[in-house]
Amino acid sequence: MKIAFYCNDTLENIRSMEYYNQDIQVLIDSGHDVRICNRYSDIPLNFDVIFIWWWTYALYPVLLAKLLGRKSIITGVFNYRAVEHIPNSGFQARPFYQRLLIKLALKMTDINLFVSKIEYDEVPSVFNLKRFYYFPCAVADMYFQKTGDSPRADVLNIAWSGKENLQRKGVLDILDALKILKDRGVNINCSLAGRAGDGYPGLLAHISQLDLENQVTTLGEVSLDKKLNLFAGSKIYLQPSYFEGFGLATAEALASGCCIIACDVGEVKNVLGDGAYYIRPGNHLELANAIEKIIIDADLANDLVTKGKRRLSELYSQKNKKNSLNAILDQMRK
């Protein structure tokens, strides 16, 4: 089949973001002819199916497919519910015109695919959708093959340093927790990776204000090989987010053998199950205590990792994702 993959994002992001790449690679590996587009004007007219990421910009591609007598699919995190501590979040906080465009796209597309189980259970009933599926991200096989030398960092986090993203991911909370531990005489080495955004100067300033320069290393954007090495060389992956639509990097870290400290928000617990140590978002003291506990209690850390890796391999494998998408495309041919 000829498949147009459309996403209103930069080509750089489409190439580098794992959740986009997974779908593109599954389509290619299944033998489909895939053309990647990030502008409406680049969408070809000879596609069989258009595969769209994000509902916000999906209406035009859906209408184009209808006009041409072709099929369309939309996927992503819907962000239906408002998120505590994050202002103007959730579907109802969007401007009226955006809600209208999204609703029309939802109703007119042939199939909606929800990355989040929570949204799969809720959104279709709210909008009375007919054809929809749960279509989560997958954890690539390579993450389950932990390799590397002795740990280079006690804790790790990977997050783009845009101002809003730093807040949502709880990165500044990590620094505040490390300061609590330092004041106790517990010095934790931390690596922070991720593409620099408009919050990066503030991140560096916060590290300096807390006198953590000797403990915290900022690495910037990292390659896939570097990311794998970071996972392999870290004891704990910290993800004290206020919301996660899936939490793919956290799942990848767990599959790589990192013990996870996270918050039970959004889709996190559906993905990690009993394979993570959970804290409340925004609670610096609780986060500090969790880090210290996991560092000390190797048996607890190993138990969490074992449970989590088993769950991820059973529920979120590349094979499961490929089979699921192929089954959906087969139904569309009928």
Side-chain angles (χ1 to χ4, degrees):
M1 296 174 69
K2 293 181 178 180
I3 298 183
F5 180 97
Y6 174 77
C7 179
N8 184 57
D9 205 336
T10 65
L11 289 175
E12 178 186 5
N13 282 349
I14 293 172
R15 294 189 187 101
S16 63
M17 298 296 186
E18 183 71 16
Y19 42 86
Y20 298 145
N21 274 316
Q22 285 184 2
D23 293 342
I24 293 169
Q25 199 58 50
V26 164
L27 291 167
I28 292 173
D29 290 346
S30 298
H32 302 293
D33 179 10
V34 180
R35 175 165 174 179
I36 299 170
C37 319
N38 71 330
R39 297 179 301 180
Y40 291 152
S41 59
D42 291 336
I43 299 174
L45 299 181
N46 62 339
F47 63 83
D48 299 304
V49 175
I50 185 162
F51 188 101
I52 308 158
W53 257 89
W54 309 119
W55 283 269
T56 308
Y57 301 96
L59 183 58
Y60 172 77
V62 168
L63 289 173
L64 178 63
K66 291 285 187 189
L67 180 64
L68 296 173
R70 314 286 167 67
K71 303 291 186 179
S72 64
I73 298 172
I74 310 175
T75 191
V77 177
F78 194 82
N79 294 319
Y80 179 71
R81 287 196 170 275
V83 179
E84 189 177 2
H85 306 302
I86 299 181
N88 301 318
S89 60
F91 180 75
Q92 296 302 332
R94 288 175 176 265
F96 172 77
Y97 78 92
Q98 283 190 11
R99 284 182 278 138
L100 179 61
L101 292 175
I102 290 169
K103 185 175 180 179
L104 288 172
L106 269 171
K107 302 286 282 186
M108 295 182 69
T109 192
D110 293 282
I111 290 178
N112 291 285
L113 302 179
F114 295 94
V115 169
S116 163
K117 180 67 163 58
I118 291 172
E119 294 186 337
Y120 166 79
D121 290 337
E122 180 176 32
V123 174
S125 61
V126 171
F127 294 97
N128 193 29
L129 303 181
K130 302 302 182 186
R131 298 186 72 186
F132 55 91
Y133 299 90
Y134 175 46
F135 189 66
C137 296
V139 180
D141 296 339
M142 59 187 165
Y143 291 102
F144 291 92
Q145 327 229 333
K146 181 172 181 178
T147 59
D149 302 321
S150 58
R152 293 178 291 277
D154 295 311
V155 299
L156 168 69
N157 172 268
I158 301 177
W160 169 56
S161 58
K163 288 180 181 178
E164 292 183 3
N165 200 56
L166 287 174
Q167 177 190 0
R168 181 174 70 85
K169 296 285 188 177
V171 176
L172 301 185
D173 294 338
I174 291 173
L175 299 177
D176 292 334
L178 295 180
K179 174 60 173 174
I180 291 172
L181 290 171
K182 181 176 181 177
D183 290 343
R184 291 180 187 170
V186 180
N187 292 318
I188 301 293
N189 295 316
C190 173
S191 293
L192 298 179
R195 179 163 50 91
D198 60 359
Y200 187 67
L203 175 64
L204 295 180
H206 201 63
I207 292 170
S208 178
Q209 289 165 5
L210 298 177
D211 192 25
L212 293 173
E213 294 98 330
N214 293 331
Q215 294 170 237
V216 178
T217 302
T218 57
L219 302 172
E221 188 169 12
V222 295
S223 66
L224 174 59
D225 286 343
K226 178 67 173 177
K227 181 170 70 166
L228 287 166
N229 286 332
L230 285 171
F231 287 153
S234 302
K235 297 176 183 176
I236 301 173
Y237 188 84
L238 299 176
Q239 198 65 78
S241 300
Y242 292 79
F243 176 75
E244 288 287 349
F246 185 85
L248 182 56
T250 311
E252 292 169 345
L254 176 56
S256 300
C258 297
C259 187
I260 306 299
I261 298 175
C263 300
D264 181 9
V265 295
E267 191 69 4
V268 172
K269 200 162 189 178
N270 278 340
V271 175
L272 305 181
D274 294 332
Y277 191 99
Y278 295 101
I279 61 165
R280 290 171 293 175
N283 193 315
H284 308 153
L285 179 59
E286 201 170 307
L287 177 55
N289 290 342
I291 294 170
E292 189 170 17
K293 183 177 180 65
I294 294 297
I295 290 288
I296 293 171
D297 194 341
D299 289 338
L300 173 60
N302 290 334
D303 182 58
L304 291 171
V305 170
T306 299
K307 290 177 179 176
K309 291 182 72 169
R310 185 186 306 120
R311 177 181 179 84
L312 293 177
S313 65
E314 291 173 354
L315 299 179
Y316 302 105
S317 69
Q318 285 181 297
K319 181 179 178 181
N320 286 350
K321 188 177 184 73
K322 183 177 179 179
N323 290 342
S324 177
L325 185 53
N326 284 334
I328 290 167
L329 291 173
D330 285 343
Q331 287 189 26
M332 296 186 79
R333 290 190 180 101
K334 297 176 182 179

